[in-house]
Amino acid sequence: MNLNDTPFARLASHLLDLLQALEGHEIPLIIVGGFGQALRHQRVDESGERTLLIPIPSVRTTEDIDAILRLDLLFNDNKTLVLREKLQELGYSAVEKARNFQFEKSDITTSDSKNIKIDLLSRVPSQGDPPLKHSK
């Protein structure tokens, strides 16, 4: 998959760094939002896969990586600790007003001083799930 000549090239680079850091820790991420759409769009273009919509609608630009985490991962303190440590090792710091699910760092690969932001998302716990502190 080649996103080098797209507005998503810088996000792709940071996502690859994160995936490499998490390798072997069994912390799956589902990439959604504008960047997730761009990845899917690129995959369909490259594979020639048939879709219901022809042509596929254009993708909106985005400046963050939205990642869904499985809820069971959030109940596992060891996994959440590893995820936070890996984000910190990659230079991300918690966004103060959303310190448990938003992380950012300066993107030194560009001259415009933009930040790279990662938003961690999950479903809201339901009845029968172990207790978990959350915000809606």
Side-chain angles (χ1 to χ4, degrees), residues 43-93:
R43 183 178 171 280
V44 167
D45 279 352
E46 290 176 1
S47 71
E49 183 179 325
R50 285 186 57 197
T51 63
L52 293 175
L53 299 174
I54 300 173
I56 298 174
S58 60
V59 177
R60 65 180 173 86
T61 59
T62 185
E63 302 206 359
D64 66 349
I65 298 171
D66 297 315
I68 295 178
L69 301 173
R70 290 191 335 236
L71 194 58
D72 62 305
L73 184 125
L74 298 178
F75 294 126
N76 184 327
D77 290 338
N78 293 333
K79 299 266 186 191
T80 56
L81 183 60
V82 166
L83 179 57
R84 288 184 71 97
E85 287 174 352
K86 295 302 178 183
L87 286 168
Q88 187 174 9
E89 287 172 13
L90 291 170
Y92 290 91
S93 58

Side-chain angles (χ1 to χ4, degrees), residues 78-113:
N78 293 333
K79 299 266 186 191
T80 56
L81 183 60
V82 166
L83 179 57
R84 288 184 71 97
E85 287 174 352
K86 295 302 178 183
L87 286 168
Q88 187 174 9
E89 287 172 13
L90 291 170
Y92 290 91
S93 58
V95 174
E96 189 53 41
K97 64 182 178 182
R99 69 181 189 279
N100 292 318
F101 53 89
Q102 287 184 350
F103 300 85
E104 67 181 356
K105 75 174 186 175
S106 296
D107 183 9
I108 59 172
T109 64
T110 63
S111 59
D112 58 11
S113 304

Side-chain angles (χ1 to χ4, degrees), residues 7-60:
F8 302 102
R10 67 190 204 93
L11 289 177
S13 171
H14 290 281
L15 176 61
L16 290 173
D17 290 343
L18 178 59
L19 294 175
Q20 184 175 19
L22 294 176
E23 192 171 332
H25 293 285
E26 297 181 26
I27 301 175
L29 302 174
I30 301 168
I31 306 304
V32 298
F35 185 47
Q37 286 179 303
L39 292 172
R40 176 72 173 138
H41 195 282
Q42 184 74 22
R43 183 178 171 280
V44 167
D45 279 352
E46 290 176 1
S47 71
E49 183 179 325
R50 285 186 57 197
T51 63
L52 293 175
L53 299 174
I54 300 173
I56 298 174
S58 60
V59 177
R60 65 180 173 86

